[in-house]
Amino acid sequence: MSQDPTHGPEPAVRLAARRRREVVAVLLFSGSPMFESSIPLSVFGVDRQDAGVPRYRLLACAGEEGPLRTTGGLELRAPYGLGAVARAGTVIVPAWRSITGPPPAAALAALRRAHSEGARIVGLCTGAFALGAAGLLDGRPATTHWMYAPTLAKRYPSVHVDPRELFVDDGDILTSAGTAAGIDLCLHIVRQDHGPEAAAALARRLVLPPRRGNGADAGAGRHLDRSLPEDIGADPLAEVVAWALEHLHEQFDVETLAARAYMSRRTFDRRFRGLTGSAPLQWLITQRVLQAQRLLEVSEYSVDEVAGRCGFRSPVALRGHFRRQLGASPAAYRAAYRARQQDAPDRAKPVGDGFSPRLPGQRGRPAP
């Protein structure tokens, strides 16, 4: 669940005297994707006071011994080490190179220490895995790239993972979904610190919308994220994953995906798990449940119709998987969702089903 951007929970610990909120430490690791790593460097590392954006002080810190190599083979030399994190009131992990391997112990210790001293800790995309490894997400809501969300939830079962959010603000711990959602979260931080005018000025300078919808604030008009993580875009399986997401309404199984990849089922299972961190069958079920959740929120389809449009072989299969993953039946989920919408009349209303765009105010079932 996302917190209201202007009324999020206050940090539980007062910021240590030697730390300053405007000092932003960005932890960089070898093997991290260049795009995600560059987001906080661009947002917080450039002086834009002439455009009405208050200045931050950026500390680009090596999270491990260098030199650091990014995707594409570029080599970086960070000007600061982990010792500089002790001065930061905001610590950002823009990405972590592996969803299966733990970050260096010294980096995790620096994150824990910063959090215990009141610093705001931020994980962009796969950076959430570093926060999870540090134990900072236990019992908290969080998000990450949708493709890695099942792995994050499985590895850290006490974390409340919601792959549909652009970002999650839990006060002193913030996480974002994949790629561009990191920009949304960084703009959100500027908005928190200096108000909407400063965030809007920064967005104009970056040629971005000042705020994209997030969670409840977005109504149900936001599409599921269909993009692929940067580090798997060139993998042969990425095309199969993209095909699967575009054909969830059809009844196909893992054998179909393996055949499209020209692999045996055993080889496909191994390659898919290595790529996404999740078994292909569980990943496919999760994507079908997410699509069913979406249709229940924004369409008038019956539960039986939703099951058919999400590729489930029967409504019984949908109900079983839906309850296991979301803790409620499809009908109960829809009723609770609509009750929440009625309790928030000023909230943005759905304008489509995530698949067939419609005009605001248009009612009835979406076109098939």
Side-chain angles (χ1 to χ4, degrees):
M1 56 186 279
S2 298
Q3 302 293 342
D4 183 276
T6 57
H7 298 90
E10 293 297 324
V13 180
R14 183 181 297 274
L15 190 64
R18 70 175 181 278
R19 295 181 181 272
R20 295 290 182 269
R21 186 69 77 192
E22 67 275 10
V23 177
V24 179
V26 178
L27 294 190
L28 301 173
F29 298 95
S30 189
S32 295
M34 188 65 182
F35 185 88
E36 283 84 349
S37 299
S38 69
I39 288 172
L41 303 180
S42 299
V43 171
F44 300 107
V46 178
D47 185 354
R48 299 186 178 92
Q49 294 180 88
D50 62 323
V53 181
R55 186 175 183 177
Y56 288 86
R57 184 184 178 193
L58 178 79
L59 304 176
C61 303
E64 59 190 339
E65 293 296 324
L68 311 176
R69 292 187 181 276
T70 71
T71 51
L74 297 178
E75 188 173 288
L76 302 178
R77 290 187 182 274
Y80 299 95
L82 287 173
V85 176
R87 289 181 272 159
T90 301
V91 182
I92 301 177
V93 183
W96 170 238
R97 62 175 171 263
S98 170
I99 61 172
T100 57
L108 297 180
L111 288 171
R112 296 188 193 101
R113 187 179 307 112
H115 180 253
S116 69
E117 295 179 352
R120 174 172 52 192
I121 310 297
V122 182
L124 307 182
C125 194
T126 54
F129 283 84
L131 273 57
L136 301 183
L137 298 182
D138 292 350
R140 289 177 176 266
T143 192
T144 188
H145 195 288
W146 61 263
M147 179 165 281
Y148 301 139
T151 305
L152 184 66
K154 183 177 181 179
R155 179 156 299 133
Y156 306 108
S158 66
V159 180
H160 309 298
V161 180
D162 189 343
R164 300 186 308 152
E165 299 286 1
L166 285 175
F167 60 82
V168 171
D169 177 352
D170 197 40
D172 53 350
I173 301 288
L174 301 91
T175 52
S176 80
T179 314
I183 303 176
D184 295 299
L185 180 49
C186 288
L187 285 174
H188 170 72
I189 290 171
V190 174
R191 189 179 302 112
Q192 276 190 324
D193 291 348
H194 301 291
E197 291 186 5
L202 176 57
R204 284 194 299 271
R205 178 60 67 90
L206 297 174
V207 197
L208 295 167
R211 179 185 294 189
R212 291 198 295 164
N214 183 54
D217 293 329
R222 184 165 67 84
H223 292 223
L224 288 175
D225 184 357
R226 300 300 198 202
S227 62
L228 295 174
E230 178 183 335
D231 58 342
I232 75 164
D235 191 285
L237 287 188
E239 183 177 345
V240 176
V241 170
W243 181 90
L245 289 171
E246 293 299 325
H247 293 80
L248 289 175
H249 58 285
E250 301 176 9
Q251 290 187 9
F252 61 86
D253 52 22
V254 177
E255 281 75 12
T256 301
L257 299 181
R260 292 189 67 85
Y262 301 101
M263 297 178 184
S264 68
R265 171 64 187 271
R266 182 175 181 180
T267 300
F268 180 79
D269 282 4
R270 185 181 70 255
R271 288 284 306 279
F272 193 95
R273 187 183 292 273
L275 182 68
T276 69
S278 175
L281 179 58
Q282 184 56 51
W283 178 86
L284 183 59
I285 292 171
T286 297
Q287 299 310 313
R288 294 194 191 282
V289 168
L290 283 174
Q291 184 159 311
Q293 186 180 18
R294 201 82 177 122
L295 289 179
L296 289 167
E297 291 174 352
V298 300
S299 78
E300 296 299 328
Y301 294 131
S302 69
V303 173
D304 288 10
E305 288 173 316
V306 168
R309 287 178 174 269
C310 296
F312 288 103
R313 298 188 181 278
S314 70
V316 173
L318 166 62
R319 291 185 178 97
H321 290 302
F322 199 94
R323 183 180 291 278
R324 276 191 291 275
Q325 295 204 24
L326 297 176
S329 68
Y333 177 86
R334 170 178 272 171
Y337 177 84
R338 292 186 174 179
R340 290 196 302 272
Q341 295 299 300
Q342 291 174 358
D343 289 341
D346 296 331
R347 189 173 290 167
K349 298 300 181 184
V351 297
D353 67 350
F355 309 97
S356 303
R358 307 162 70 203
L359 296 174
Q362 190 173 351
R363 301 179 64 84
R365 291 183 181 177

